[in-house]
Amino acid sequence: MNDSSPGRLLPWALVTPALLWTLVFFVLPFIAMAVLSLSEHGGGAATLENYRQFFNNPSYWRALVNSLEVTLTVTAISVLLAYPFAWILAEVVPPRLQRLALVLAILPFWTSYVVRSYSWLLVLAQNGVVNRALTGSGLADAPMQLANTRTATVIGFVHFFVMLLTLTIFANLKQLSPSYRRAAADLGAGPVRTFLHVILPLTLPGIMVGAFLTFVLAIGDYITPQILGGNNELLMPQLIMMQIGRRGDFPLASALAIILMAVVTLAYLFCARWLKVERA
């Protein structure tokens, strides 16, 4: 008994630091935020007024819809751009050069997130590179309003997250055995049918993992919409910060954060269930 006890305690000893970290920095703050969301602004008894206020206020609903529209658009565009890029890296670039190609691809992401946001603001400004190219080539008669719009926010997000998706898809493609393609060819499938019925289904887990991470990071991002969107369109992170910065209404801000977390949880449940079906 004495000799086997350390063996039984070792797994718990190894996992305890992670459990304590999760408890202190996630579980306890989440419980505190949930309790705060059920209180009145300025103190008082427990109430659901903060949640009722969200459902009864059309502008709050609009902020959530705006966040979902921007996030889903960014996720879809990022997937469409990342898959061909990952395919080129995995299938076209020689194996000896793939590591170098990956380093060159992620090199711009070593710069600050805020710096990249302001860089895009300069590029998309009325006197920026894009408008100068459009007016100089005759494609536009006058500079277009690109900065401080939803379009600028989407462009910034796509630039930030497309490489994340590329890496997850690339990892999936590299794990595929060449025998899948040979088996499909032996059964008479051409390149297109092989991709649609063999390669694409097998790489869906990588797509979904990257898409979910993109969804989570984009829907909760405050900096990019604030800088590139110019605060012209209210998203959920801006709405939450508005309650804190302008009104000091921490209970309502907590309720809005809980609602945003509920949306992310639903997205996770959808992705997990879908992936489970695909594996079956």
Side-chain angles (χ1 to χ4, degrees):
M1 290 294 292
N2 293 334
D3 293 338
S4 60
S5 294
R8 290 199 300 267
L9 294 176
L10 181 60
W12 285 105
L14 294 175
V15 79
T16 295
L19 292 177
L20 290 175
W21 181 276
T22 303
L23 177 66
V24 173
F25 293 102
F26 178 76
V27 176
L28 294 180
F30 177 78
I31 293 174
M33 185 173 64
V35 172
L36 184 61
S37 70
L38 296 173
S39 62
E40 294 180 349
H41 180 38
T47 178
L48 293 174
E49 182 58 32
N50 296 316
Y51 293 95
R52 281 195 292 264
Q53 188 172 345
F54 171 79
F55 290 105
N56 293 332
N57 194 322
S59 63
Y60 293 177
W61 267 102
R62 188 67 243 176
L64 178 59
V65 172
N66 289 340
S67 292
L68 288 174
E69 288 176 351
V70 169
T71 303
L72 292 175
T73 301
V74 168
T75 303
I77 296 175
S78 298
V79 170
L80 293 177
L81 293 177
Y83 203 103
F85 188 25
W87 179 272
I88 292 173
L89 289 176
E91 303 294 334
V92 178
V93 176
R96 68 180 184 278
L97 298 177
Q98 287 179 357
R99 184 173 300 179
L100 175 62
L102 286 173
V103 171
L104 293 176
I106 65 175
L107 192 61
F109 295 85
W110 293 359
T111 59
S112 169
Y113 189 75
V114 177
V115 170
R116 281 182 279 145
S117 296
Y118 278 110
S119 298
W120 271 113
L121 187 62
L122 294 175
V123 170
L124 299 174
Q126 286 197 340
N127 293 324
V129 175
V130 175
N131 271 315
R132 287 184 179 180
L134 292 175
T135 54
S137 61
L139 296 176
D141 297 330
M144 301 173 60
Q145 181 62 40
L146 297 176
N148 301 323
T149 62
R150 176 183 289 195
T151 300
T153 301
V154 171
I155 290 174
F157 271 143
V158 169
H159 173 245
F160 299 155
F161 298 128
V162 70
M163 199 59 216
L164 176 65
L165 268 159
T166 300
L167 292 176
T168 59
I169 297 172
F170 173 82
N172 246 186
L173 288 170
K174 293 299 292 182
Q175 291 175 358
L176 292 182
S177 173
S179 60
Y180 290 115
R181 294 184 179 85
R182 290 195 293 266
D186 291 341
L187 294 173
V192 176
R193 293 186 63 185
T194 298
F195 173 77
L196 293 177
H197 297 287
V198 179
I199 305 302
L200 183 59
L202 291 175
T203 54
L204 281 178
I207 296 174
M208 293 303 294
V209 169
F212 176 70
L213 291 176
T214 301
F215 181 90
V216 172
L217 295 173
I219 201 170
D221 191 285
Y222 172 79
I223 296 176
T224 301
Q226 190 71 14
I227 296 176
L228 294 178
N231 210 21
N232 290 326
E233 186 177 48
L234 191 63
L235 304 182
M236 282 296 286
Q238 277 69 38
L239 180 60
I240 294 171
M241 291 300 299
M242 187 183 300
Q243 309 309 315
I244 298 174
R246 297 184 182 179
R247 301 178 57 190
D249 194 343
F250 288 91
L252 180 56
S254 299
L256 295 174
I258 292 291
I259 292 171
L260 188 60
M261 289 185 65
V263 172
V264 173
T265 302
L266 290 176
Y268 168 76
L269 293 175
F270 171 79
C271 293
R273 180 188 175 201
W274 189 83
L275 285 174
K276 183 178 180 181
V277 170
E278 287 300 320
R279 289 193 187 105

